[in-house]
Amino acid sequence: QTVVTQEPSFSVSPGGTVTLTCGLSSGSVSTSYFPSWYQQTPGQAPRTLIYNTNTRSSGVPDRFSGSILGNKAALTITGAQADDESDYYCVLYMRGGISLFGGGTKLTVL
Amino acid sequence: EVQLVESGGGLVKPGGSLRLSCAASGFTFSNAWMSWVRQAPGKGLEWVGRIKKKADGGTTDYPAPVKGRFTISRDDSKNTLFLQMSSLKTEDTAVYYCTTFDYAAFEIWGQGTMVTVSS
C-alpha cells in the first residue's frame, strides 16, 4: 500500500525559510502526481495553498512556493511569520483517480 | 461570494446511516467536480470520494475504506452535493468537509460538519 510521507514536525525562526517535503513510500514524486498543499490551523477548515505542483491558490502570498526537489514535492515558506504556525498537508493524485493525503507536518515558528 | 455549507452531521449508532448535504453558492455548481474529505479527531485529512460533473460522465471514485458503504451524488438543480453513508463504523467519526475539485486539487472548502458514530 502506497503511503505519502511528510515530516511529522518542523520548526523555523521568524523571518527564516523552511522547506517541507512530500514523498512516496515507493517511487518518486513528479509533476504527474499534481502535488497540492494545504494549510490548517486548529479548529479551522483547511486552506488551499498550492496546486498543480507550483501554482498558488488565489490570495496566497508569494512567500509560499511549490516545487519538485529531487524525488519529492516541496513547499517552501520564505520569511516565515508567526501566523504560518499551522499543520501543512500535501496531496498526490494517484492512478485510478485516487487522492492520497500525507500525514501532515506540524510547523512551529519560534 | 463562493461558499460551501455542509449540514446533516450528528450522532449515529454503529451500523447506522446518515446523509450529509453541501449547499454550494457563488459559482456554477454544475460545472464543478466535487469531493468530500474528512478528519477524525486529532488526526490528519483523508479523502472520502469524488463526483465528476455530468458533462464528464458524473461518475464517482472512492478510496478503499469507504467503497461500498458511502455514495456521493449531486442535484445540480439545487446546487447541492450529498454524501450517503451506511454501515457506519466508529472509525468513521470525523469532521466531514465538502470541497470543489479542480486541477487534481481540493480548491474551495466548506466549514465542515461533525459525524459521531457511537453506541
Side-chain angles (χ1 to χ4, degrees):
Chain A
Q1 181 178 343
T2 302
V3 173
V4 176
T5 62
Q6 294 186 248
E7 299 87 357
S9 62
F10 228 117
S11 64
V12 61
S13 300
T17 296
V18 62
T19 296
L20 311 181
T21 67
C22 175
L24 280 170
S25 55
S26 58
S28 299
V29 176
S30 67
T31 56
S32 301
Y33 288 93
F34 300 96
S36 53
W37 292 90
Y38 306 85
Q39 178 191 46
Q40 187 182 36
T41 52
Q44 299 295 316
R47 170 198 183 195
T48 307
L49 295 175
I50 301 286
Y51 62 93
N52 197 17
T53 305
N54 56 16
T55 304
R56 272 185 295 278
S57 191
S58 177
V60 174
D62 58 8
R63 302 187 294 105
F64 294 89
S65 61
S67 63
I68 300 291
L69 286 181
N71 61 350
K72 296 182 178 182
L75 173 71
T76 299
I77 307 172
T78 57
Q81 300 177 359
D83 60 5
D84 294 336
E85 187 161 294
S86 303
D87 294 325
Y88 291 86
Y89 295 90
C90 70
V91 170
L92 301 179
Y93 190 59
M94 313 296 286
R95 289 189 181 187
I98 302 297
S99 292
L100 210 50
F101 277 90
T105 297
K106 185 177 183 64
L107 179 68
T108 301
V109 180
L110 51 72
Chain B
E1 180 193 3
V2 175
Q3 197 171 14
L4 297 170
V5 179
E6 302 93 336
S7 60
L11 176 63
V12 61
K13 288 182 169 48
S17 299
L18 199 64
R19 189 176 85 154
L20 306 183
S21 300
C22 170
S25 59
F27 65 99
T28 306
F29 179 75
S30 60
N31 282 348
W33 289 29
M34 299 296 296
S35 196
W36 289 93
V37 173
R38 69 183 179 184
Q39 186 170 36
K43 302 295 185 183
L45 299 167
E46 180 184 21
W47 173 65
V48 170
R50 173 186 313 116
I51 186 166
K52 297 178 182 179
K53 62 183 181 182
K54 284 191 168 53
D56 289 336
T59 55
T60 52
D61 292 297
Y62 306 94
V66 306
K67 199 167 188 176
R69 300 189 299 122
F70 288 13
T71 301
I72 296 175
S73 60
R74 62 192 301 160
D75 184 340
D76 290 345
S77 69
K78 296 182 179 177
N79 292 340
T80 303
L81 178 73
F82 301 101
L83 177 63
Q84 177 69 48
M85 303 183 291
S86 60
S87 303
L88 282 162
K89 307 174 182 180
T90 55
E91 52 263 41
D92 294 319
T93 294
V95 174
Y96 284 74
Y97 295 102
C98 164
T99 83
T100 60
F101 188 79
D102 199 5
Y103 290 101
F106 307 102
E107 186 186 8
I108 301 159
W109 297 71
Q111 86 290 348
T113 187
M114 183 70 202
V115 172
T116 302
V117 184
S118 174
S119 55

